[in-house]
Amino acid sequence: MEKHSITFFIFAAFLISLLTDGYIYGVISAILGMLAVNYAFTLPYFQWDFITTSNLISAIIMVIIAILTGTLTTKLKEHEAMKAESEKERMRANLLRAISHDLRTPLTTIYGASSALREKRNILTMEQQDLILKSIQEDSKWLTRMVENLLSITKIDDGRVKILKTPIVLDELIDSVMTKFHAGYPEQEVNLDIPDEILIIPMDAILIEQVIVNLLENAVLHAKGMTKLTLSVFTIGNQTVFEVEDNGCGIKKELLHHIFTGCYGAMEDHADAKKRNAGIGLSVCATIIKAHGGDISAENRRDGGAVFRFTLAKEDEAVEE
Amino acid sequence: MKKQSIIKNIGITAGIFALALLCSFVLQERTWKNTASHFLFLLHF
């Protein structure tokens, strides 16, 4: 009978350690359990007896086992919490790195354009100067909007704030995406396959533009041997599906599971630092799409190349804050 | 908040401990009836 009660009290100490914070409650329950077993469940019943050797040894062993179980459980709990925290920290760091990368590109353009304007002002015509100034203005505007979104993205990462969605016409979004993409890759042709009817999707347009441009850029930078790049949009039920498809080298199987975690850039052995940074941009895409309540996935095509796919709800079901 | 957390922890500890005590008693007395009468006997004193 004594053995059964010892088992009960050790199990109780384990459960208490599992469900409470810190060591103290588990240790207290272990000591109280030992006292209860000694008082009520060992001979002589209903009196303390620490003189009999067997009772004393039972009590000591019980306390040791209960305390060990309790402390080990608490340590395991603390370890899990630390692991979750470090994972969150890593994701945040990756997000910041990716955003810094996205901010660097227009800054480089602004620097180049302003330097050209300063050094060759006498040679350039008024029209050329105006064109350069316009490009500086557009890039500055893009930067301002990006910085405004920076705070909201970091808040999304914490799960504290939901993004503010506004109804956007798909054609306008695609036009804007193509303009931005062609500014960086003027020679890359993109085949568009979008529905004829007017689609209105609730979204944060700046962030979704960033996602599509990131996916197109990734295809250009990573899909070796690519000859065809396609951006398709179609609807399934209440979902709008966006697909960026290429016929390049595809994605390595071992990278497919990590591709949106931010480890992609680190895992790939690119000599080119620019390409390495572009890989991190996928974690931003995943964060933005998840914040919109959609899904993002990547897979290899059967006839070569890769497809990146994400979905957005046509009607805003989520409650906006 | 901290006070609430302490109360919650004490509640959990007391609850689980009481459950373990009860189970041990039931096992020792074999039946619930015996356990109840035992408790009543203890309360009497």
Side-chain angles (χ1 to χ4, degrees):
Chain A
M1 217 46 60
E2 180 198 342
K3 282 179 195 170
H4 292 301
S5 29
I6 288 177
T7 317
F8 275 130
F9 284 103
I10 289 177
F11 185 60
F14 165 72
L15 277 183
I16 289 165
S17 309
L18 199 70
L19 299 172
T20 54
D21 311 315
Y23 297 88
I24 190 76
Y25 300 99
V27 173
I28 289 173
S29 68
I31 294 166
L32 285 178
M34 178 270 288
L35 292 173
V37 168
N38 188 285
Y39 185 73
F41 306 108
T42 49
L43 284 166
Y45 291 122
F46 298 103
Q47 52 182 285
W48 308 112
D49 176 31
F50 291 105
I51 299 159
T52 316
T53 322
S54 61
N55 281 0
L56 187 67
I57 291 171
S58 291
I60 292 169
I61 289 176
M62 190 195 151
V63 169
I64 290 171
I65 293 174
I67 289 175
L68 278 179
T69 315
T71 46
L72 280 176
T73 314
T74 313
K75 271 194 177 170
L76 202 72
K77 244 168 48 185
E78 282 174 0
H79 181 72
E80 286 298 317
M82 267 173 65
K83 210 171 140 185
E85 188 58 37
S86 71
E87 177 71 15
K88 216 160 121 184
E89 203 55 49
R90 195 178 58 82
M91 285 290 283
R92 198 171 298 145
N94 283 339
L95 194 73
L96 281 174
R97 263 192 295 165
I99 288 163
S100 310
H101 165 256
D102 287 335
L103 291 177
R104 200 174 53 189
T105 316
L107 275 176
T108 315
T109 319
I110 291 171
Y111 179 76
S114 55
S115 301
L117 198 64
R118 199 169 167 226
E119 285 162 17
K120 297 174 184 173
R121 194 180 295 171
N122 300 332
I123 309 164
L124 294 170
T125 62
M126 280 305 281
E127 278 176 7
Q128 283 171 325
Q129 286 185 30
D130 194 48
L131 207 67
I132 292 172
L133 284 171
K134 199 181 165 193
S135 122
I136 292 174
Q137 200 180 20
E138 276 175 7
D139 279 332
S140 310
K141 203 176 165 188
W142 171 249
L143 270 176
T144 312
R145 285 152 82 194
M146 277 292 295
V147 171
E148 277 170 4
N149 275 299
L150 190 63
L151 190 64
S152 60
I153 293 175
T154 50
K155 281 178 181 173
I156 291 164
D157 206 31
D158 284 346
R160 278 182 293 171
V161 171
K162 284 182 182 170
I163 46 175
L164 194 66
K165 295 179 189 176
T166 45
I168 301 290
V169 178
L170 179 72
D171 291 350
E172 286 177 13
L173 176 85
I174 300 294
D175 280 349
S176 176
V177 165
M178 285 302 115
T179 310
K180 281 188 183 75
F181 178 69
H182 281 132
Y185 305 92
E187 286 169 14
Q188 179 61 52
E189 200 180 313
V190 181
N191 299 313
L192 290 176
D193 181 11
I194 54 172
D196 292 331
E197 78 256 37
I198 294 170
L199 266 182
I200 298 174
I201 311 161
M203 64 171 87
D204 186 321
I206 303 281
L207 297 179
I208 296 298
E209 271 174 27
Q210 197 191 344
V211 171
I212 304 173
V213 171
N214 268 352
L215 293 178
L216 291 169
E217 273 181 359
N218 273 353
V220 174
L221 293 168
H222 293 269
K224 287 171 194 165
M226 180 187 70
T227 54
K228 194 179 169 191
L229 180 59
T230 310
L231 170 62
S232 345
V233 183
F234 54 92
T235 54
I236 301 175
N238 193 35
Q239 297 287 316
T240 312
V241 184
F242 291 75
E243 270 188 3
V244 175
E245 207 175 350
D246 66 70
N247 63 346
C249 59
I251 309 158
K252 286 176 191 169
K253 273 186 181 173
E254 62 267 27
L255 294 177
L256 267 174
H257 296 295
H258 307 280
I259 205 156
F260 294 111
T261 60
C263 305
Y264 178 49
M267 285 172 76
E268 265 201 327
D269 50 350
H270 279 303
D272 188 352
K274 194 182 168 190
K275 287 189 175 185
R276 211 165 40 233
N277 284 334
I280 302 164
L282 289 174
S283 65
V284 177
C285 298
T287 310
I288 292 170
I289 298 300
K290 276 177 193 166
H292 276 80
D295 285 319
I296 187 163
S297 62
E299 62 183 50
N300 283 320
R301 293 169 68 215
R302 280 183 190 170
D303 47 347
V307 189
F308 285 86
R309 188 178 295 119
F310 70 87
T311 58
L312 291 176
K314 269 201 290 186
E315 286 156 28
D316 198 4
E317 291 167 338
V319 181
E320 287 175 10
E321 283 183 9
Chain B
M1 198 67 184
K2 203 178 173 187
K3 198 179 170 186
Q4 268 187 344
S5 164
I6 291 170
I7 292 169
K8 189 193 91 181
N9 287 333
I10 291 173
I12 290 169
T13 310
I16 294 173
F17 194 82
L19 207 65
L21 205 62
L22 189 69
C23 290
S24 303
F25 265 118
V26 172
L27 209 69
Q28 193 179 40
E29 302 293 334
R30 301 284 180 192
T31 62
W32 289 100
K33 201 179 167 186
N34 288 349
T35 311
S37 47
H38 201 131
F39 268 110
L40 287 172
F41 176 75
L42 285 176
L43 283 174
H44 179 72
F45 287 99

